[in-house]
Amino acid sequence: VVSRIYLSPPDVREAERRLLIEALDSNWVAPVGPDLTAFEEEAARVAGRAHGVALSSGTAALHLALLELRVGAGDDVIVSTFTFAASVNAIRYVGAQPVFVDSDRSSWNLSPDLLTEELEAREREGRALPAAVIAVDLYGQCADYDRLVPLCADRGIVLIEDAAEAIGATSGGRSAGSFGEVGVLSFNGNKLITSGGGGMLVCDRPELAQRARYLATQARQDAPHYEHTEVGYNYRLSNLLAAVGRGQLTTLGERIARRREIREHYREALAARPGIAFAPTDDEGNAWLTCITVDPEQAGIDREGVRLHLEAQDIESRPLWKPMHLQPVFRHCSARVDGTSEQLFAVGLCLPSGSAMSPDDQDRVIAALHDALAT
């Protein structure tokens, strides 16, 4: 029986099995315990930060980051339009308004040029500057923080780094998650490192970490009874899941190396195929997903035709992110776009990239791709 090949399934190894059993045996099964504390320290170190707060999801981390940085009703938040919905949903959680900015054609990440245009237009017209900018490290490749950081800092705008897809990546030698006031990591099941769900807020200021931990535990006051002076959230990660995450982190380097190998094998196998191009990457990205674009005129088939051909052979692939300014729920939001993300969505496809994918399975994907392109 031929088994289904998934896009990016969990890659479970011995270290996380051992740590999970040890956590179970210790009876630390609640959202507190030694593995939770250790996971926060270890993941924060990977992200180049002083502090980490382990949470139930990356979305929870984005929500708390905005709350802590006093973003709320009446505020605008600029965010990449080419991203997963969580980057934007958290903005609406706090009552703020998303303002979408398109991608740079050379990187697919948030365009510094379009961001500059948006900020300068607001200054010229006497409109309020955004309360924050959320930059997304797309598909494991860091955004252009050499330009984004000073653009925000010079105007006193808070920068949040959504590094949910980019753990272990670097930019100029600095770790993904280390840019801006706050960084956000995700440990969802399809990510390079998973805790079976979960995320983390990482930062350098101890008071931010302390308040995030407080808000994530229902904003409970230090009292022998349950005392609350403000609304809190049930966002803490369990010690058991933290144990899984700790085990995964021990092989982070191996996982990144394997995904880079997979990407390069795809590149070599498809190099001669007309109409096929790969996402712009460099040696510092973590290669979370290998992404291609399909030019239908040159390739003789469009992106959706390739996807359906793979699906017919029980191989999962996925279109690139549908831009948020095209999503019905956000159709009334302001957007500064130039067509880049719309074009990428029309022609882009994510290929199976899991670090546990066998060479035989990847060859099966490649054979299916060749077959699709030949027809």
Side-chain angles (χ1 to χ4, degrees):
V1 178
V2 176
S3 60
R4 182 166 175 80
I5 298 175
Y6 291 97
L7 189 72
S8 181
D11 177 5
V12 179
R13 305 185 185 185
E14 183 56 37
E16 45 268 43
R17 294 177 189 274
R18 175 178 53 81
L19 287 169
L20 177 58
I21 295 301
E22 289 176 0
L24 277 169
D25 289 345
S26 72
N27 206 36
W28 284 106
V29 298
V32 65
D35 285 297
L36 185 64
T37 300
F39 187 41
E40 290 177 334
E41 294 171 352
E42 291 158 5
R45 194 176 306 123
V46 168
R49 293 288 196 173
H51 305 282
V53 182
L55 302 165
S56 56
S57 67
T59 311
L62 283 166
H63 183 197
L64 293 184
L66 290 166
L67 286 173
E68 290 186 54
L69 298 170
R70 302 184 186 283
V71 178
D75 290 329
D76 285 346
V77 176
I78 289 178
V79 61
S80 310
T81 190
F82 200 35
T83 185
F84 178 55
S87 307
V88 188
N89 287 340
I91 298 169
R92 298 300 296 133
Y93 293 170
V94 300
Q97 187 71 10
V99 176
F100 300 118
V101 170
D102 219 329
S103 296
D104 180 82
R105 292 181 185 276
S106 64
S107 71
W108 296 10
N109 276 312
L110 180 69
S111 168
D113 290 337
L114 290 177
L115 177 59
T116 300
E117 285 182 19
E118 175 66 22
L119 296 177
E120 289 181 347
R122 287 169 176 259
E123 291 170 328
R124 188 170 57 250
E125 297 162 10
R127 292 186 288 138
L129 289 172
V133 169
I134 299 177
V136 180
D137 298 337
L138 198 70
Y139 297 119
Q141 199 77 24
C142 287
D144 185 358
Y145 292 108
D146 286 344
R147 294 186 63 190
L148 296 178
V149 169
L151 270 176
C152 294
D154 291 348
R155 294 168 171 83
I157 301 169
V158 170
L159 177 62
I160 297 170
E161 182 186 0
D162 182 348
E165 303 170 14
I167 188 169
T170 57
S171 177
R174 281 185 58 178
S175 299
S178 69
F179 298 93
E181 188 70 26
V182 173
V184 169
L185 306 176
S186 172
F187 307 114
N188 189 37
N190 67 351
K191 295 300 191 294
L192 200 142
I193 294 296
T194 184
S195 53
M200 192 171 294
L201 182 151
V202 292
C203 61
D204 291 321
R205 291 165 53 192
E207 65 273 18
L208 286 182
Q210 181 179 2
R211 179 157 175 80
R213 198 170 281 113
Y214 159 75
L215 288 174
T217 49
Q218 300 287 20
R220 182 184 176 186
Q221 294 287 310
D222 185 14
H225 57 280
Y226 286 96
E227 182 80 8
H228 307 272
T229 59
E230 58 186 310
V231 173
Y233 305 88
N234 185 17
Y235 278 171
R236 285 293 268 159
L237 190 71
S238 78
N239 191 69
L240 293 182
L241 296 185
V244 174
R246 290 188 68 202
Q248 294 254 308
L249 274 180
T250 63
T251 53
L252 174 60
E254 296 173 21
R255 294 165 188 271
I256 292 174
R258 175 62 186 136
R259 293 198 186 225
R260 287 173 177 167
E261 287 176 1
I262 288 168
R263 182 183 63 194
E264 293 312 304
H265 190 33
Y266 279 131
R267 284 185 183 277
E268 293 166 4
L270 299 174
R273 283 291 180 182
I276 302 299
F278 284 78
T281 57
D282 57 36
D283 292 338
E284 291 193 278
N286 70 8
W288 172 50
L289 292 180
T290 296
C291 304
I292 61 171
T293 58
V294 182
D295 182 330
E297 292 187 4
Q298 296 184 43
I301 187 172
D302 62 13
R303 181 283 313 280
E304 190 61 6
V306 175
R307 189 191 70 80
L308 290 172
H309 186 88
L310 294 177
E311 184 60 39
Q313 300 190 43
D314 218 8
I315 298 169
E316 183 186 21
S317 60
R318 186 177 298 162
L320 301 183
W321 299 125
K322 181 177 181 178
M324 290 297 106
H325 70 274
L326 298 182
Q327 297 286 353
V329 67
F330 299 124
R331 65 187 180 278
H332 299 305
C333 296
S334 175
R336 185 173 291 272
V337 297
D338 61 6
T340 297
S341 59
E342 293 182 33
Q343 174 64 14
L344 289 171
F345 172 60
V347 301
L349 190 68
C350 304
L351 300 179
S353 308
S355 52
M357 183 167 60
S358 70
D360 286 346
D361 277 350
Q362 188 177 10
D363 287 342
R364 183 178 140 204
V365 177
I366 289 168
L369 286 166
H370 282 305
D371 188 42
L373 295 166
T375 57

